[in-house]
Amino acid sequence: MEHTTQTPEVYDFRQYDRIWQRVAPDLEPYPGMMARQEAAVSTAPLPVAAPTTPVPTIPPVPESPAVPVPAGPELPGAERNPCCMGTEAAEMLGVITGYIEVALSDRRYLLALVRQAPSWARQTLRDMAADLQSQARRLMTAYYLITGQRYRPSLSTERIYVGRWCPALRERYHAAACGGFNYARSAEDSIDPCLAKLFEEMSKESYRHAEELMGLLQRSLQNP
């Protein structure tokens, strides 16, 4: 980094001396203060006037406004407008709450599908349902980081009708694939870097679910 050197006639160090004394009066003065005072004494010309000659009074230099000095790092969460999960992320609160509700709804559907799934497919469906619950929790955490308030998802007691096995897998595949696409699009639209990263991770997870569902469907079609 380049530093611009200025002559004493132009660059006034006295304002920094006063600021340093106000910030820490018990410590040593501003580092360059003593050196300048000693230099001023050594280079001052000898007086030529009589001792009784009055010394002209130099008008005081107006003090510059105090420069705010940070008292130290603030505690986490104390920043009013943080660089992540702040006002820029707040513009997508409606999108976040929508994803929470969809994730919880899809989880309920997968758990209902487990009850009529073949034994070899049940654990895969349970794992996907657990991933969707984790997605909803992470999104609710993001909601709290942005607003400072808990999000209360709607609780549905509606009975879920799954239908036949293969058509149900087909429907779940399209739901997961579309979820991956929507998360990716939201990541591109978000100007908050942390929220965009969260959407990208969920997009990858949703596409992985789609591939797993496609694998279940492929095995089911081979063994009717």
Side-chain angles (χ1 to χ4, degrees), residues 92-107 128-140 142 174-210:
M92 303 195 73
L93 283 176
V95 175
I96 293 173
T97 56
Y99 283 145
I100 294 173
E101 299 295 341
V102 170
L104 294 176
S105 176
D106 289 347
R107 172 183 175 271
M128 283 190 286
D131 289 341
L132 290 172
Q133 184 177 28
S134 176
Q135 285 185 10
R137 288 175 176 173
R138 293 169 68 189
L139 289 167
M140 285 189 283
H174 286 298
C178 289
F181 174 79
N182 289 330
Y183 276 128
R185 186 171 57 181
S186 296
E188 295 177 356
D189 294 340
S190 175
I191 57 178
D192 182 282
C194 296
L195 186 58
K197 182 175 181 294
L198 179 61
F199 287 153
E200 290 172 356
E201 294 172 355
M202 293 186 174
S203 175
K204 294 178 181 179
E205 192 170 59
S206 296
Y207 278 128
R208 178 172 57 82
H209 288 174

Side-chain angles (χ1 to χ4, degrees), residues 27-204:
L27 300 180
E28 294 295 330
Y30 186 70
M33 181 177 180
M34 297 303 297
R36 291 195 305 277
Q37 290 178 349
E38 293 174 359
V41 173
S42 60
T43 58
L46 296 176
V48 296
T52 57
T53 303
V55 179
T57 303
I58 300 176
V61 179
E63 292 189 358
S64 302
V67 178
V69 179
E74 296 184 352
L75 295 176
E79 181 65 35
R80 293 183 178 179
N81 187 20
C83 58
C84 272
M85 300 299 183
T87 55
E88 293 178 346
E91 298 178 359
M92 303 195 73
L93 283 176
V95 175
I96 293 173
T97 56
Y99 283 145
I100 294 173
E101 299 295 341
V102 170
L104 294 176
S105 176
D106 289 347
R107 172 183 175 271
R108 293 180 65 243
Y109 196 100
L110 288 176
L111 292 178
L113 189 59
V114 169
R115 292 193 290 267
Q116 70 179 62
S119 58
W120 51 265
R122 291 172 185 170
Q123 188 58 49
T124 301
L125 295 175
R126 291 192 187 100
D127 291 342
M128 283 190 286
D131 289 341
L132 290 172
Q133 184 177 28
S134 176
Q135 285 185 10
R137 288 175 176 173
R138 293 169 68 189
L139 289 167
M140 285 189 283
T141 302
Y143 183 93
Y144 183 84
L145 288 172
I146 298 169
T147 64
Q149 299 176 354
R150 293 175 179 267
Y151 177 75
R152 304 292 183 182
S154 58
L155 299 178
S156 176
T157 58
E158 183 181 358
R159 183 181 179 89
I160 297 177
Y161 175 74
V162 175
R164 292 181 299 168
W165 170 246
C166 286
L169 286 179
R170 178 175 180 268
E171 180 184 351
R172 289 298 92 197
Y173 167 83
H174 286 298
C178 289
F181 174 79
N182 289 330
Y183 276 128
R185 186 171 57 181
S186 296
E188 295 177 356
D189 294 340
S190 175
I191 57 178
D192 182 282
C194 296
L195 186 58
K197 182 175 181 294
L198 179 61
F199 287 153
E200 290 172 356
E201 294 172 355
M202 293 186 174
S203 175
K204 294 178 181 179

